[in-house]
Amino acid sequence: DRDIQLCGWTADTNDWRGGTAAEMLDRVMNGYEFSPQPLAPDGVVLAHIHGEDTVEFVRLLAAELDARSWSREPLK
């Protein structure tokens, strides 16, 4: 038996299409065509592991959330 939590994302990096870490951060924080709502304090970000740009995006996102004093807890 696994303790699994199901949730939906509220902001999408669209990282699978490519783009820089800064572009992904902009998509998440400001919204865009496919994910029009900007990230809210209780939001969930969808990202995939697609190389160094995604890893850098996570670093940038963590810094942005810290600057806003938002929580950044992983789902359990």
Side-chain angles (χ1 to χ4, degrees):
D1 186 5
R2 295 184 181 176
D3 186 18
I4 298 174
Q5 179 182 0
L6 180 64
C7 73
W9 51 266
T10 61
D12 185 358
T13 61
N14 224 293
D15 54 359
W16 59 271
R17 290 181 175 224
T20 67
E23 289 170 334
M24 288 183 241
L25 183 65
D26 182 62
R27 291 174 193 156
V28 166
M29 299 311 296
N30 298 308
Y32 71 106
E33 173 183 11
F34 299 110
S35 185
Q37 297 300 316
L39 184 64
D42 61 348
V44 176
V45 177
L46 173 64
H48 306 87
I49 299 172
H50 284 284
E52 293 180 26
D53 288 318
T54 304
V55 172
E56 181 61 19
F57 158 75
V58 172
R59 288 185 188 114
L60 293 175
L61 179 62
E64 180 67 28
L65 298 181
D66 288 347
R68 295 175 183 225
S69 298
W70 289 7
S71 173
R72 50 184 176 107
E73 291 187 31
L75 293 176
K76 297 176 182 170

